[in-house]
Amino acid sequence: MPKNRNTFSSDAPAALAAWGRRAASRAVHRGWRYIQRAGAVTADRPGPYRFGRIGAGTRLAFPLGTVFGERWIELGEHCIIGEQVTLTAGMMPDLDLGPDPVLRLGNGVVLGRGSHVVASAPVTFGNDVFCGPYVYVTSDNHSYDDPDQPIGRQWPRSAPVTIGSGSWLGTGAVILPGARLGRNVVVAAGAVVRGEVLDHAVVAGAPAKVVRRWEAATGWVPPLRTPTPRPVPDGVTHEQLLAVADLPGEPGA
């Protein structure tokens, strides 16, 4: 005849251990979400940072990347700064950069996770500039004036950078010193941009070259092979547009 099963059989310790692991996992994730919310930087909760300006609705996700020279950094309204984003003014901390802002982000700017913006000369983002993850924008570049000295020990060259309103910078794009991007410019993923890019251009490659541009008289040159874009309906908010674009409200995914 079958023996009665012991309630406290050899399976019980394994089940208890599995329950403990699940409970610990839930606790860790709940704790991390709490830390992310508590550590996020906003105008109302700037933490240890003293930015020149943080606009209403702007949020820097936790954990932040390297941040210094905040006094010379101005962030517009409703900006979304992803996790591990570096924002620096000056080549090192504790420099006096003068009375004027060095790094400016307009309203509605999105910087994807792991992006770097490094400015010792003025770097300016217009409004509604969207950047994918790991974008690199810098006003500084290494020089190679003395072939006998290590390149990293030679004083870099700097030049202002401007990114026009409405532009989109794809994942891993690099914007070099002196770049001047017009309005509604698309930079393809991995492109390396220098010099001037006119309004309504699409650039790709390293160095980046124009692959398509909107002309008022003829439309897109060369013509688009995709359906005609539909305008965003009236009344759609910035947050709703981000959700449609599958961009999280608290970036970092």
Side-chain angles (χ1 to χ4, degrees):
M1 294 182 63
K3 296 180 180 179
N4 292 332
R5 184 179 181 86
N6 189 339
T7 302
F8 299 97
S9 66
S10 59
D11 292 338
L16 184 60
W19 178 88
R21 287 192 295 270
R22 289 193 296 270
S25 177
R26 288 192 294 268
V28 166
H29 285 281
R30 282 197 300 267
W32 180 244
R33 286 194 294 270
Y34 174 81
I35 290 171
Q36 285 180 304
R37 289 192 294 269
V41 171
T42 66
D44 296 330
R45 295 181 297 158
Y49 302 103
R50 297 295 178 263
F51 287 96
R53 176 175 180 256
I54 303 181
T58 288
R59 183 184 181 95
L60 289 80
F62 182 86
L64 282 69
T66 301
V67 177
F68 60 76
E70 309 98 279
R71 174 183 164 188
W72 293 275
I73 299 176
E74 294 189 350
L75 310 176
E77 299 178 359
H78 301 290
C79 295
I80 298 178
I81 312 300
E83 294 179 8
Q84 298 291 351
V85 169
T86 288
L87 298 173
T88 64
M91 295 183 184
M92 60 189 71
D94 303 323
L95 296 178
D96 186 349
L97 303 178
D100 299 321
V102 175
L103 172 55
R104 292 177 175 173
L105 269 60
N107 298 330
V109 173
V110 175
L111 291 177
R113 174 198 290 265
S115 293
H116 286 61
V117 184
V118 178
S120 58
V123 173
T124 304
F125 287 68
N127 298 328
D128 299 311
V129 175
F130 282 54
C131 301
Y134 306 108
V135 167
Y136 189 84
V137 180
T138 181
S139 67
D140 308 302
N141 208 349
H142 296 292
S143 63
Y144 198 4
D145 298 320
D146 187 345
D148 296 323
Q149 290 292 327
I151 295 170
R153 294 183 177 275
Q154 299 189 42
W155 195 256
R157 292 194 177 93
S158 302
V161 173
T162 303
I163 300 173
S165 295
S167 294
W168 179 283
L169 278 57
T171 300
V174 177
I175 312 300
L176 294 176
R180 302 178 303 282
L181 279 63
R183 294 177 57 86
N184 287 34
V185 167
V186 172
V187 178
V192 179
V193 181
R194 60 184 182 185
E196 184 173 9
V197 179
L198 299 178
D199 295 351
H200 308 294
V202 179
V203 297
K209 296 181 179 179
V210 176
V211 296
R212 179 171 280 116
R213 186 166 184 269
W214 173 266
E215 302 284 353
T218 58
W220 287 107
V221 180
L224 289 174
R225 297 186 178 89
T226 56
T228 302
R230 294 179 296 175
V232 176
D234 292 337
V236 174
T237 66
H238 182 74
E239 289 75 14
Q240 290 170 330
L241 184 60
L242 291 179
V244 171
D246 198 29
L247 290 171
E250 295 182 8

